[in-house]
Every structure is written in structure tokens, then in C-alpha cells.
Amino acid sequence: MADSIRIAVAQSPVTCDPLVNGAAVRDLMAAARETGARLVHFPEGAISGYPSGTEAKQALSGWSIDWTAVQKQLELTARAAADLGLWVVVGSSHRLTPPNRPHNSLYVISDGGQLIGRYDKRRCSHTEITDWYSPGFAPLTFDIDGFRFGSALCIEVNFPELFIEYRELGVDCVLLSSFSEDPVFGVLARGHAAAHNYWVSVSVPAQCSAALPAGVIGPHGSWLDRCPADGTAALACVDLDRTDPSLDIALNKARPWRELARAGRIYEARRVADARSTDRTRF
């Protein structure tokens, strides 16, 4: 099992034009590879665009998306992944058979350019589930160099059970892609990282960065690196390092001890039979 892996989290511009989006994604992929990253992580809707705001909702109304262009950009992205030897996790709408609405998805592309999995957003927002998307129902994990990654999308940060599930699945890092300007999402992501002692990568579009810049949170709940909060396309690069002394307590003490605590046996072994314990009606 490797001690470390370098990942890059992208803060790419996300428009309603798949050609513009795809070009921006591949530019950042090349930049990520130059840093030595093994994986680069992109925002929600990074290829297809996302119906956020009045203008985007009007542009995408009735799913007037050029699906041929989306498919082409995904294929070009997969080809670039193979050329660069880089894993890519990128957001896009995933077309279903009409009249079914698409999924809001994350594609996982290997460093050989193969699509090895797709995560479909499970906890869609009220607007999404009413007007835009079909929900998914399964978690997604994948392994690179001895590190296990999980996937989540945007408002799913509000659902602790999904992050508990990923801890139970043994992930080292959750990749959270979002299209949000809510800074509370960053607070919640830090809480999940600290509670479960794993890394959380948060990718947002460049235009959302003033409120919530993209970045990576350590297993201790603190930001390790963040992109600028200035609306520009950028990368934050972090080594997920199991030997980092600053993470020793979180990874090697807190995480295994909390698993014992959740099992409950350490408490059952110390249960006492005492009337003053069972009587809760007196001081």
C-alpha cells in the first residue's frame, strides 16, 4: 500500500457550451499532470453544464443540450487522460433513454482512458428531482495506488449518512463536486472529514469561487490547499500522505479508535451495576 498519492482539485469555468467546458477541462488536466498529480477532480456539470441560475436554466430548458457534443468532449477527455497517464473525475449530465430525464453524474476515467465507473447523484435537490434529473441509488468507490476514493455531488454534503457509508466502505478520500455558492458546504465538508478522518476534495466552478474556493480538506478537518477566490480557473494540488506527522492523530489514533467505539464493546466491558446509575430521577 502506497504511503502517498498526489491529487489535484480543479476550479474550472462551467458554461452551457460543452465545447468550451471540454477545452477548459483538458487545459487543467495538462496542468495537473505537470504537478505530478495522479488524479484530477472537476466540478458538477463540468462538461455538459449545469442548470444553475436563470440564464443557464433557460439555455438548458427541455434539455436542449447538444448531446453529440457532450459525447465528443467526454471522448476527448478520456483520450487526453490516456495520453497524460492521469485519472480524471469529471461532472456531466448523463443522457438516459427518452423520455427519462438524465442523471447528474460524475464519470471516473482511468489513466488508460477507460471509463471505469459513473456516480449518479442520489440526493437530488427539490428543483432537480422536480424539473431536471433522475436520481441514482448506489455509492461509487474506486482504487488508485492503494488509496480508495468515494464520490458525492453538491447538496449531498447535507446528508451525513452518505459520508458514513463511505467511511464504512473504507474510503481514504471523498471527491465532492458541486455547483454552489454556499460557504456552509465547506463547513459541512470539513465536519465530515474531521468526523470520519478521511480527506475530502471539494471542486466548484470558477464562477462560484468567491464564496467557496475549491480545495482539499485533511482528515483532521482543516484545509490543506485551496484555489484563489477570484473567479479564475485554477488547481489546488495536495499529497494525500499517510505518513504526514500532522495527520498522525487523525489517521492512526482517532480513526481506528472510533471504529472500536462505534462497535461498543469497549463500553460494554465497563458497564457497571449500580442503583445510582440506573435511577435517573435523583441527584
Side-chain angles (χ1 to χ4, degrees):
M1 186 168 59
D3 286 331
S4 67
I5 186 172
R6 176 165 292 187
I7 70 168
V9 56
Q11 184 171 282
S12 63
V14 180
T15 74
C16 295
D17 186 340
L19 277 68
V20 172
N21 295 340
V25 162
R26 291 187 293 278
D27 284 346
L28 286 169
M29 286 171 60
R33 193 67 187 98
E34 289 181 0
T35 72
R38 287 283 285 133
L39 173 147
V40 61
H41 168 212
F42 286 95
E44 185 175 31
I47 294 291
S48 62
Y50 178 79
S52 176
T54 302
E55 183 178 349
K57 286 178 180 177
Q58 290 174 347
L60 300 176
S61 178
W63 285 113
S64 54
I65 285 179
D66 185 345
W67 289 108
T68 301
V70 171
Q71 178 74 20
K72 179 65 173 177
Q73 293 307 309
L74 288 168
E75 290 172 353
L76 289 172
T77 298
R79 190 179 308 164
D83 291 342
L84 294 167
L86 179 70
W87 285 73
V88 181
V89 177
V90 63
S92 183
S93 297
H94 177 75
R95 180 173 50 169
L96 301 184
T97 305
N100 296 319
R101 295 171 180 162
H103 289 313
N104 184 355
S105 302
L106 287 173
Y107 293 103
V108 179
I109 302 168
S110 76
D111 56 357
Q114 300 298 312
L115 178 62
I116 64 100
R118 191 190 72 242
Y119 177 72
D120 303 321
K121 191 173 187 178
R122 293 180 278 174
R123 301 293 190 268
C124 295
S125 71
H126 173 75
T127 300
E128 286 178 322
I129 203 64
T130 303
D131 298 323
W132 293 98
Y133 291 109
S134 297
F137 291 91
L140 175 70
T141 65
F142 60 96
D143 297 327
I144 309 174
D145 301 344
F147 281 78
R148 177 162 293 177
F149 295 87
S151 310
L153 278 159
C154 205
I155 71 156
E156 292 186 327
V157 76
N158 294 296
F159 294 86
E161 63 272 19
L162 301 186
F163 290 82
I164 293 170
E165 179 181 39
Y166 277 127
R167 186 200 73 241
E168 292 173 344
L169 290 170
V171 305
D172 298 288
C173 179
V174 173
L175 305 174
L176 173 67
S177 295
S178 183
F179 197 122
S180 173
E181 295 180 281
D182 189 347
V184 173
F185 281 22
V187 176
L188 289 166
R190 289 183 65 188
H192 294 313
H196 303 303
N197 303 123
Y198 49 45
W199 288 271
V200 177
S201 176
V202 182
S203 179
V204 301
Q207 61 263 42
C208 297
S209 64
L212 178 63
V216 180
I217 304 163
H220 49 8
S222 296
W223 291 100
L224 299 176
D225 192 21
R226 302 191 81 177
C227 293
D230 60 4
T232 60
L235 292 170
C237 297
V238 168
D239 289 325
L240 311 188
D241 187 354
R242 295 185 174 115
T243 67
D244 185 341
S246 69
L247 303 179
D248 178 59
I249 291 176
L251 291 176
N252 301 316
K253 298 179 175 63
R255 183 162 177 165
W257 184 85
R258 289 175 188 175
E259 290 304 311
L260 290 174
R262 291 183 181 102
R265 288 187 296 273
I266 59 174
Y267 302 112
E268 289 298 325
R270 290 165 177 78
R271 183 180 291 235
V272 296
D274 188 321
R276 290 193 57 80
S277 172
T278 54
D279 186 350
R280 299 180 179 87
T281 64
R282 59 176 179 164
F283 296 111

